[in-house]
Amino acid sequence: MANIPHLFFAFLATLLLSNCGTVKITKAPFGKTSDGQAVDIYTLSNPGGMEAKITNYGGIVTQLHVPDNKGKPGDVVLGYDKLASYIEASPYFGCITGRYANRIAKGRFTIEGTEYKLATNNGDNHLHGGDVGLDKKVWTVKEVQGVGRAGIELSYTSPDGEEGYPGNLNCKVTYWLTVQNELEIQYEATTDKATHINLTHHSYFNLAGAGSGDILNHEVEILADKFVPTDAGNIPLGDLASVKGTPFDFLTPHTVGERIGQEDQQLKVGKGYDHNWVINPTGKGLELAARVTEKNSGRVMEVLTDQPGIQFYTGNFLDGSNVGKGGKIYKHRNAFCLETQKFPDSPNNPSYPSSLLEPGQTYRHMCVYRFTTK
Ligand code: BGC
């Protein structure tokens, strides 16, 4: 008798789950790197009409199909059709970015009296892990299943000294597609020497569809009272600034284009929005950091994370030189990135949340891109 309620709930749970359907995974070859490593592409699809294509070269999300408010799917990320194009030149389309996403001033940091010199691949500064960052590595893949979700777990060990960073860094990044139209990314890393780490995901989104024009009419909310002002090399000045009374206040919704052309010193140095916002902590662990709405398609994307910052970049450096999927040309401000992360140059700013990872510790980071319509 005691087991009847239990059985009933188990039956109900199974029924509910089967109603939600499952997330499917398929795999196909995607070509070879110049040194002959075979690369695959995985397709994750759910019953809600979402489909993600992800390659183990750089963990790049090459396609992300999301339904609009009429149920019609559209690809909302910029990218290329072929692996060779990613290898040739990519402004970090859809990749896993690291070991340190964003910039480190002069490519230098000091840990316990030892100075480490990293590649300076962005003027005098270090950007997105250096010359050959995690975005250009072939990752090992394991397919994974969970309740109402399926995904791929990508692993890569960055050897001690790679791009100048100390420590053998074991990285694991899992992309999940859920039945609730979420792309969830879980990051984990361990090291055998103290090092700095800041991983992120670098999709260039256009919720009206990749290659459909600029994102100036997208409406943006960022739940942050403060942001990180920078110099013209995008290096933090140090102190955090209040968004109040500035074009950086997205506490209430504003379109990207509304204030981007204003006379503002920070918009000038960023050539538009290219800054890290300090997410208001509510203590929930996974915070809602940002919400973007595209009115014509009705697509809404929410970004949730446990990280302290989010880089909002409005594709200011896109200049039409990238011929993307289906021959579409990506021009100035044709996409935006929302990258959950620590603040830029944290290794040289002791007052920022620390990016130091020591042996015995585990770096963890969670990011959810959640899609709905209205
Ligand atoms: C940075 C931009 C940079 C872009 C591509 C973004 O994360 O904030 O400054 O141009 O990545 O590298």
Side-chain angles (χ1 to χ4, degrees):
M1 268 311 260
N3 277 338
I4 286 178
H6 181 92
L7 282 174
F8 174 72
F9 283 118
F11 170 74
L12 204 66
T14 315
L15 197 73
L16 278 174
L17 279 176
S18 58
N19 274 349
C20 293
T22 50
V23 179
K24 295 199 180 78
I25 310 182
T26 59
K27 174 185 168 184
F30 194 48
K32 282 191 176 160
T33 59
S34 36
D35 60 357
Q37 293 182 77
V39 170
D40 292 315
I41 191 147
Y42 292 79
T43 304
L44 311 178
S45 50
N46 78 3
M50 242 185 103
E51 185 179 282
K53 284 193 185 281
I54 308 170
T55 167
N56 61 326
Y57 176 79
I60 297 171
V61 175
T62 64
Q63 296 181 29
L64 189 65
H65 299 266
V66 178
D68 67 10
N69 56 10
K70 295 184 186 73
K72 192 170 162 253
D75 186 2
V76 299
V77 295
L78 272 51
Y80 296 121
D81 289 319
K82 295 205 171 87
L83 175 66
S85 312
Y86 284 103
I87 295 172
E88 205 180 294
S90 169
Y92 300 90
F93 283 147
C95 63
I96 297 167
T97 319
R99 295 187 183 193
Y100 200 97
N102 218 321
R103 289 160 178 93
I104 296 178
K106 312 267 184 245
R108 280 164 199 239
F109 58 71
T110 301
I111 301 175
E112 284 160 19
T114 305
E115 186 181 56
Y116 295 95
K117 293 190 182 116
L118 314 175
T120 45
N121 56 328
N122 189 243
D124 292 341
N125 304 315
H126 178 81
L127 174 70
H128 295 334
D131 293 326
V132 189
L134 301 182
D135 59 297
K136 297 175 186 72
K137 301 292 177 187
V138 177
W139 295 60
T140 305
V141 185
K142 193 172 113 191
E143 295 183 21
V144 286
Q145 298 285 341
V147 177
R149 55 177 53 207
I152 54 170
E153 181 190 284
L154 304 169
S155 305
Y156 173 72
T157 299
S158 173
D160 187 15
E162 189 165 67
E163 296 295 317
Y165 288 93
N168 291 295
L169 186 75
N170 292 305
C171 305
K172 206 160 85 181
V173 179
T174 310
Y175 282 103
W176 293 100
L177 181 66
T178 77
V179 293
Q180 273 115 14
N181 281 8
E182 295 159 324
L183 181 70
E184 181 180 305
I185 313 171
Q186 284 172 354
Y187 304 81
E188 251 182 60
T190 55
T191 183
D192 57 5
K193 259 190 211 165
T195 190
H196 284 284
I197 179 167
N198 186 35
L199 305 182
T200 194
H201 172 72
H202 211 289
S203 269
Y204 282 71
F205 295 99
N206 184 324
L207 299 185
S212 69
D214 69 53
I215 43 87
L216 298 176
N217 284 327
H218 283 51
E219 199 177 83
V220 176
E221 284 170 82
I222 305 177
L223 303 177
D225 294 337
K226 292 187 184 136
F227 76 107
V228 183
T230 66
D231 66 15
N234 304 83
I235 297 297
L237 299 174
D239 290 343
L240 306 177
S242 166
V243 297
K244 213 168 169 199
T246 78
F248 290 78
D249 185 345
F250 283 98
L251 287 159
T252 53
H254 291 273
T255 63
V256 177
E258 202 178 315
R259 301 165 298 176
I260 202 167
Q262 278 183 11
E263 266 306 311
D264 177 277
Q265 175 62 11
Q266 279 304 307
L267 283 174
K268 202 159 142 192
V269 295
K271 299 179 178 57
Y273 295 107
D274 192 0
H275 295 77
N276 210 271
W277 270 252
V278 181
I279 301 161
N280 291 341
T282 62
K284 286 191 194 127
L286 200 63
E287 308 286 354
L288 176 65
R291 182 185 291 119
V292 183
T293 305
E294 200 284 310
K295 285 205 169 122
N296 290 330
S297 63
R299 290 192 186 96
V300 179
M301 182 176 87
E302 289 183 333
V303 188
L304 297 99
T305 189
D306 56 6
Q307 292 298 289
I310 188 162
Q311 184 83 6
F312 177 47
Y313 167 60
T314 45
N316 311 317
F317 295 110
L318 291 174
D319 59 5
S321 59
N322 304 109
V323 182
K325 289 175 273 189
K328 287 189 175 150
I329 294 172
Y330 303 137
K331 298 192 184 142
H332 192 224
R333 299 193 177 140
N334 277 198
F336 67 92
C337 301
L338 278 168
E339 313 156 34
T340 58
Q341 56 187 269
K342 296 260 165 61
F343 307 165
D345 202 26
S346 298
N348 297 307
N349 282 281
S351 66
Y352 292 177
S354 176
S355 55
L356 190 71
L357 180 71
E358 299 195 73
Q361 297 178 331
T362 303
Y363 165 85
R364 286 183 218 280
H365 168 175
M366 166 98 137
C367 171
V368 181
Y369 294 101
R370 178 182 291 159
F371 295 90
T372 54
T373 56
K374 69 176 198 188

